[in-house]
C-alpha cells in the first residue's frame, strides 16, 4: 500500500489499552494498543503520507520503533476489509475537483460496500452517468427526484401531466405554496435547477396512455433505469411500463402507497419476474383474486390517496437502495421476485413472493 488512507467515516476510539476502529457493534474492530501506536499510525494514514513519512512523523514518540513495525501494522490492518484503502488508486479517476468534493460523502457511504477500497469512485461514476426516468412527479416521484439529485445522478427525466394543488403540499416535497396552479413538470424543474445547477433535469408535461409513450422516452434518451411513481390509471400504468421496459430491456421499479402501507418491486429484464408475471400468477392460482383484480383494472382503486411525505420518503429510500445496487453492481437488488411492503400500523416489513410465470413474455 503506497498511500494508506484511513476511511474518515470510521470512528477511532482509544479506551484504556484498547482501540476500537469503527463504532457499529457487529462491525467495529477492537485491537490491543497499550502504547497508542496503532492509533498514531491510523491518524497519519491520510492518503498523502507514505509509510516512510508516517514512520518519520511518529518515531520521536516511540524511541525503539522500526519502520518494519509500521509496515507490519499497516499490512495487518489492510487485511481487514473496509478500514484502509490506497488513495493513490482511488483518486485515479476522471472525476473533476468539484465532483470529488460534491460527492465525497456519497463515496464515503459507497466505500462501506467496497471491500477492496478501490471501487467507490467507479460506483460513483456509474451513478453520475446513469440516465434515469421518473414517471409521475407526485409524492413518491418528488422524493425520488430529490433523492436521486442528491445522490448525484446527473441526467434525470421526469414526466407528469398535472398541476400543483394545495392538497399536494402534504407529501409532494418538490413544490411550494407559490407553485399552486403551476404545471408540476415546470415547478419540479425549477426546484431541481436551483438545488444543483450541474444536474440536467428534463421534464415533460405528458400523460402516459400506452406502452409506446414510455418506450419512446426510453429510446430517445437512452434511459438506463425507470422508476414508476405514478398510480393512475390503476394497474395499467404498471402494465405499460412493464412492457416498454421488457421491449427495451430496461431495469425498473414500481412503488407507491396504499392505505396504511407502502410497497415496491424491482424488475430486471431477463433475470427476474415482472409485473405481468404477478398478474398471470394471480390468474392461474386465484380465480377470486383475479376477478377482483380485473374489476380494479376497470374501475381503479380509491379516488383519493392518504399518503404523507413521510410514507413516500420511507418507501423511496428502499427503492433508491435497490437502484444503487443495480447501477453500481456492488450487489444484486434485494427486492426482486417479490413485492416489499411496509406497514405503518406496526412497522412490519413483508415480502410477498412474485414468482416467474412460464406463460409470461418475459420468460420467452
Ligand atoms: Zn414476466
Amino acid at each position: 500500500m503506497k498511500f494508506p488512507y484511513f476511511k474518515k467515516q470510521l470512528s477511532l476510539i482509544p479506551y484504556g489499552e484498547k482501540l476500537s476502529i469503527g463504532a457499529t457493534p457487529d462491525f467495529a474492530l477492537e485491537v490491543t494498543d497499550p502504547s497508542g501506536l496503532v492509533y498514531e499510525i491510523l491518524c497519519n494514514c491520510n492518503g498523502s503520507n507514505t509509510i516512510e513519512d508516517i514512520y518519520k512523523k511518529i518515531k520521536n514518540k516511540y524511541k525503539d520503533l522500526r519502520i518494519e513495525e509500521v509496515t507490519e501494522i499497516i499490512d495487518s490492518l489492510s487485511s481487514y476489509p473496509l478500514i484502509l484503502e490506497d488513495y493513490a488508486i482511488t483518486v485515479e479517476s476522471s472525476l473533476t475537483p468539484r465532483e470529488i468534493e460534491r460527492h465525497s460523502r456519497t463515496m464515503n457511504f459507497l466505500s462501506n460496500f467496497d471491500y477492496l477500497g478501490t471501487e467507490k469512485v467507479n460506483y460513483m461514476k456509474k451513478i453520475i452517468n446513469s440516465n434515469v426516468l421518473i414517471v409521475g412527479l407526485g409524492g413518491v416521484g418528488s422524493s425520488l427526484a430529490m433523492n436521486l439529485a442528491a445522490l448525484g445522478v446527473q441526467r434525470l427525466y421526469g414526466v407528469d401531466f398535472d398541476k400543483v394543488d394545495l392538497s399536494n403540499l402534504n407529501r409532494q416535497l418538490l413544490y411550494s405554496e407559490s407553485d399552486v396552479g403551476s404545471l408540476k413538470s415546470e415547478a419540479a424543474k425549477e426546484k431541481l435547477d436551483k438545488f444543483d445547477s450541474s444536474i440536467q433535469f428534463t421534464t415533460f408535461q405528458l400523460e402516459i396512455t400506452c406502452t409506446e409513450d414510455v418506450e419512446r422516452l426510453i429510446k430517445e434518451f437512452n434511459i438506463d433505469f425507470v422508476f414508476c411513481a405514478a398510480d393512475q390509471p390503476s394497474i395499467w400504468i404498471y402494465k405499460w411500463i412493464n412492457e416498454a421496459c421488457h421491449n427495451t430491456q430496461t431495469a425498473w421499479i414500481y412503488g407507491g402507497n396504499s392505505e396504511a402501507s407502502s410497497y415496491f418491486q424491482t424488475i430486471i429484464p431477463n433475470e427476474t419476474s415482472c409485473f405481468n408475471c404477478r398478474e398471470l400468477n394471480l390468474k392461474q392460482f386465484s380465480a377470486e383474486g383475479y376477478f377482483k383484480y380485473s374489476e380494479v383494472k376497470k374501475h381503479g382503486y380509491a379516488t383519493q390517496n392518504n399518503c404523507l411525505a413521510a410514507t413516500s420518503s420511507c418507501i423511496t429510500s428502499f427503492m433508491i437502495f435497490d437502484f444503487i445496487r443495480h447501477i453500481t453492481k456492488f450487489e444484486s437488488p434485494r427486492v426482486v421476485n417479490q413485492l416489499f411492503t411496509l406497514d405503518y400500523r406496526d412497522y412490519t416489513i413483508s415480502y410477498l413472493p412474485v414468482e416467474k410465470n412460464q406463460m409470461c413474455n418475459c420468460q420467452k
Side-chain angles (χ1 to χ4, degrees), residues 242 246 267 272-278 280 355-363:
N242 191 69
H246 169 72
I267 295 164
T272 71
S273 64
C274 73
F275 183 76
N276 200 40
C277 288
R278 199 179 149 196
L280 289 169
E355 278 160 27
K356 294 176 184 172
N357 190 298
Q358 295 312 314
M359 304 296 288
C360 185
N361 277 345
C362 77
Q363 298 302 308

Side-chain angles (χ1 to χ4, degrees), residues 146-159:
M146 287 304 299
N147 266 288
L148 291 165
L151 183 66
V153 175
Q154 294 290 285
R155 283 181 304 278
L156 276 170
Y157 300 85
V159 174

Side-chain angles (χ1 to χ4, degrees), residues 190-361:
E190 205 176 305
K191 170 89 177 188
L192 279 201
D193 285 352
K194 267 188 216 153
F195 172 70
D196 183 340
S197 60
S198 72
I199 297 168
Q200 291 173 36
F201 186 37
T202 310
T203 56
F204 309 92
Q205 193 223 345
L206 174 70
E207 184 170 7
I208 301 289
T209 57
C210 59
T211 299
E212 291 69 33
D213 286 343
V214 186
E215 203 169 318
R216 202 168 40 243
L217 289 171
I218 293 174
K219 286 180 178 160
E220 188 174 344
F221 298 101
N222 245 335
I223 299 296
D224 303 299
F225 203 96
V226 178
F227 283 97
C228 177
D231 52 8
Q232 297 292 332
S234 298
I235 299 173
W236 290 102
I237 188 76
Y238 296 160
K239 285 178 69 71
W240 295 328
I241 295 177
N242 191 69
E243 198 178 345
C245 287
H246 169 72
N247 294 345
T248 55
Q249 296 289 288
T250 310
W252 73 291
I253 293 180
Y254 66 90
N257 300 293
S258 172
E259 296 169 5
S261 62
S262 299
Y263 61 89
F264 84 97
Q265 182 185 353
T266 304
I267 295 164
I268 316 292
N270 262 337
E271 291 179 28
T272 71
S273 64
C274 73
F275 183 76
N276 200 40
C277 288
R278 199 179 149 196
E279 181 176 306
L280 289 169
N281 291 344
L282 195 63
K283 192 174 182 180
Q284 212 169 325
F285 302 113
S286 167
E288 202 185 3
Y290 185 69
F291 177 50
K292 195 167 145 190
Y293 173 88
S294 304
E295 288 304 303
V296 175
K297 269 167 95 174
K298 280 187 221 155
H299 308 295
Y301 282 112
T303 51
Q304 206 172 79
N305 78 57
N306 63 171
C307 57
L308 308 176
T311 57
S312 295
S313 300
C314 266
I315 199 65
T316 297
S317 304
F318 288 103
M319 292 160 80
I320 295 273
F321 284 119
D322 251 11
F323 162 77
I324 296 174
R325 283 189 159 87
H326 176 73
I327 285 290
T328 62
K329 305 271 186 264
F330 76 73
E331 251 186 30
S332 302
R334 284 289 162 108
V335 185
V336 294
N337 303 320
Q338 55 192 346
L339 183 76
F340 171 103
T341 57
L342 170 58
D343 190 324
Y344 299 106
R345 288 169 298 193
D346 55 6
Y347 298 169
T348 312
I349 288 176
S350 318
Y351 296 90
L352 175 79
V354 181
E355 278 160 27
K356 294 176 184 172
N357 190 298
Q358 295 312 314
M359 304 296 288
C360 185
N361 277 345

Side-chain angles (χ1 to χ4, degrees), residues 10-289:
L10 296 177
S11 303
L12 209 47
I13 312 164
Y15 67 106
E17 298 207 328
K18 283 183 165 180
L19 174 66
S20 175
I21 305 170
T24 313
D26 58 353
F27 170 77
L29 173 68
E30 303 250 332
V31 296
T32 308
D33 187 28
S35 64
L37 176 61
V38 179
Y39 177 78
E40 285 291 338
I41 289 174
L42 283 175
C43 287
N44 282 287
C45 287
N46 60 4
S48 58
N49 287 332
T50 60
I51 291 177
E52 197 179 345
D53 295 333
I54 295 170
Y55 168 69
K56 283 181 185 161
K57 279 174 196 281
I58 61 176
K59 69 176 180 185
N60 290 338
K61 209 166 172 184
Y62 299 93
K63 293 278 181 260
D64 302 323
L65 185 68
R66 290 172 299 113
I67 190 165
E68 290 78 14
E69 281 176 72
V70 178
T71 306
E72 207 173 289
I73 288 172
I74 287 176
D75 281 351
S76 71
L77 288 172
S78 308
S79 67
Y80 290 95
L82 309 177
I83 292 177
L84 284 170
E85 56 191 63
D86 195 334
Y87 208 61
I89 297 170
T90 57
V91 296
E92 189 182 69
S93 73
S94 54
L95 293 184
T96 63
R98 183 196 186 272
E99 284 173 330
I100 290 173
E101 189 178 348
R102 165 70 168 83
H103 305 301
S104 63
R105 272 40 171 199
T106 304
M107 287 193 281
N108 281 353
F109 177 80
L110 293 171
S111 79
N112 288 313
F113 306 94
D114 173 9
Y115 285 84
L116 298 173
T118 55
E119 284 299 311
K120 66 179 180 183
V121 174
N122 290 331
Y123 294 160
M124 194 67 237
K125 283 201 284 193
K126 285 177 184 166
I127 291 171
I128 289 173
N129 293 326
S130 54
N131 296 332
V132 180
L133 171 65
I134 305 168
V135 178
L137 296 171
V140 173
S142 282
S143 285
L144 282 169
M146 287 304 299
N147 266 288
L148 291 165
L151 183 66
V153 175
Q154 294 290 285
R155 283 181 304 278
L156 276 170
Y157 300 85
V159 174
D160 205 294
F161 64 92
D162 218 352
K163 286 183 174 171
V164 181
D165 189 271
L166 187 61
S167 70
N168 295 155
L169 300 192
N170 87 311
R171 64 192 185 283
Q172 304 189 9
L173 299 173
L174 280 173
Y175 314 114
S176 313
E177 191 181 17
S178 59
D179 296 321
V180 171
S182 308
L183 286 171
K184 287 185 183 174
S185 52
E186 287 174 7
K189 177 166 172 52
E190 205 176 305
K191 170 89 177 188
L192 279 201
D193 285 352
K194 267 188 216 153
F195 172 70
D196 183 340
S197 60
S198 72
I199 297 168
Q200 291 173 36
F201 186 37
T202 310
T203 56
F204 309 92
Q205 193 223 345
L206 174 70
E207 184 170 7
I208 301 289
T209 57
C210 59
T211 299
E212 291 69 33
D213 286 343
V214 186
E215 203 169 318
R216 202 168 40 243
L217 289 171
I218 293 174
K219 286 180 178 160
E220 188 174 344
F221 298 101
N222 245 335
I223 299 296
D224 303 299
F225 203 96
V226 178
F227 283 97
C228 177
D231 52 8
Q232 297 292 332
S234 298
I235 299 173
W236 290 102
I237 188 76
Y238 296 160
K239 285 178 69 71
W240 295 328
I241 295 177
N242 191 69
E243 198 178 345
C245 287
H246 169 72
N247 294 345
T248 55
Q249 296 289 288
T250 310
W252 73 291
I253 293 180
Y254 66 90
N257 300 293
S258 172
E259 296 169 5
S261 62
S262 299
Y263 61 89
F264 84 97
Q265 182 185 353
T266 304
I267 295 164
I268 316 292
N270 262 337
E271 291 179 28
T272 71
S273 64
C274 73
F275 183 76
N276 200 40
C277 288
R278 199 179 149 196
E279 181 176 306
L280 289 169
N281 291 344
L282 195 63
K283 192 174 182 180
Q284 212 169 325
F285 302 113
S286 167
E288 202 185 3

